[in-house]
Amino acid sequence: MTVRPITVIGHKALHQPTKKVREITPEIRTLVADMFDTLDAANGAGLAANQVGVRLRIFVYDCADETEVEQRGVVINPILEKGVVPPGDPDPEGGIEGCLSVPGEYFPTARASWARVTGTDLDGNEVVVEAHGGTLARCLQHETDHLDGKLYVERLTPRYRTAAREAMKSRGWQAQHITKWNPETQEAEKV
């Protein structure tokens, strides 16, 4: 298996909707195994296929549910259902979110406390992942957003969106043409 470079904000794969998986091929199985290796190397909670440059509707996750029990799995062609997202600024303590494609930055992000994703696994069996709070509920929404071509920083309220823009500008990713980050070496790669 392989740890793949992670696409960084500004990479076109992150800003376009992904395509439905029509068939589970050996290449899809290898991709999923590589995604788990990449997620583990980056110490993340979830990883969408377009975060490793592949525009397919697949994500993997490894995080705690509302009872603090670790959950790990893959969802292919996920469909998200969620509760209501509370209006206004999120709790600056309890609503902190980060992203492997926006490395080193964390901002309060409003998310619904309940989320359910339905899809399939690598054997074509139906998968239903449901969470009532905790990191898993946030992860299901975050990763499905990725597959729809949306980053969490686009969901920030104006107060935090300004801070996020300033942080990304100060890192100079776009000015330096950085589009990938290697979780093993902790270094950025230029195009």
Side-chain angles (χ1 to χ4, degrees):
M1 303 312 143
T2 304
V3 173
R4 298 187 184 200
I6 297 171
T7 55
V8 175
I9 187 169
H11 190 286
K12 66 181 181 179
L14 294 173
H15 304 283
Q16 300 170 344
T18 54
K19 298 175 184 175
K20 187 174 184 178
V21 175
R22 302 277 180 215
E23 177 184 4
I24 303 301
T25 63
E27 291 81 14
I28 295 291
R29 290 181 184 282
T30 298
L31 169 65
V32 170
D34 289 353
M35 288 172 65
F36 275 119
D37 287 347
T38 304
L39 180 66
D40 292 343
N43 196 30
L47 184 71
N50 54 344
Q51 288 185 273
V52 292
V54 179
R55 288 188 49 221
L56 292 174
R57 286 193 73 75
I58 302 170
F59 75 78
V60 297
Y61 61 93
D62 188 354
C63 56
D65 64 14
E66 64 274 12
T67 63
E68 297 302 316
V69 174
E70 285 295 314
Q71 304 292 323
R72 184 174 172 96
V74 58
V75 184
I76 299 169
N77 299 325
I79 298 170
L80 174 69
E81 299 171 76
K82 64 182 180 179
V84 176
V85 177
D89 282 338
D91 176 9
E93 299 298 319
I96 298 293
E97 195 163 317
C99 180
L100 297 175
S101 291
V102 187
E105 300 300 333
Y106 302 88
F107 297 98
T109 309
R111 296 283 186 185
S113 62
W114 170 81
R116 176 174 43 222
V117 170
T118 56
T120 61
D121 64 14
L122 284 171
D123 296 319
N125 300 314
E126 183 182 45
V127 171
V128 178
V129 184
E130 185 170 354
H132 299 268
T135 304
L136 184 57
R138 184 172 292 279
C139 178
L140 298 176
Q141 295 167 77
H142 181 109
E143 299 311 324
T144 305
D145 270 356
H146 272 302
L147 300 178
D148 293 336
K150 198 176 256 321
L151 292 172
Y152 89 102
V153 292
E154 297 170 56
R155 294 222 178 263
L156 299 177
T157 60
R159 173 182 176 190
Y160 295 112
R161 191 175 306 131
T162 301
R165 282 189 190 124
E166 290 300 317
M168 289 178 273
K169 184 178 177 181
S170 72
R171 288 187 180 270
W173 292 326
Q174 290 181 337
Q176 298 172 41
H177 303 286
I178 293 171
T179 59
K180 294 186 179 178
W181 178 74
N182 188 323
E184 286 186 310
T185 64
Q186 302 286 308
E187 295 178 359
E189 297 177 10
K190 296 181 182 182
V191 278

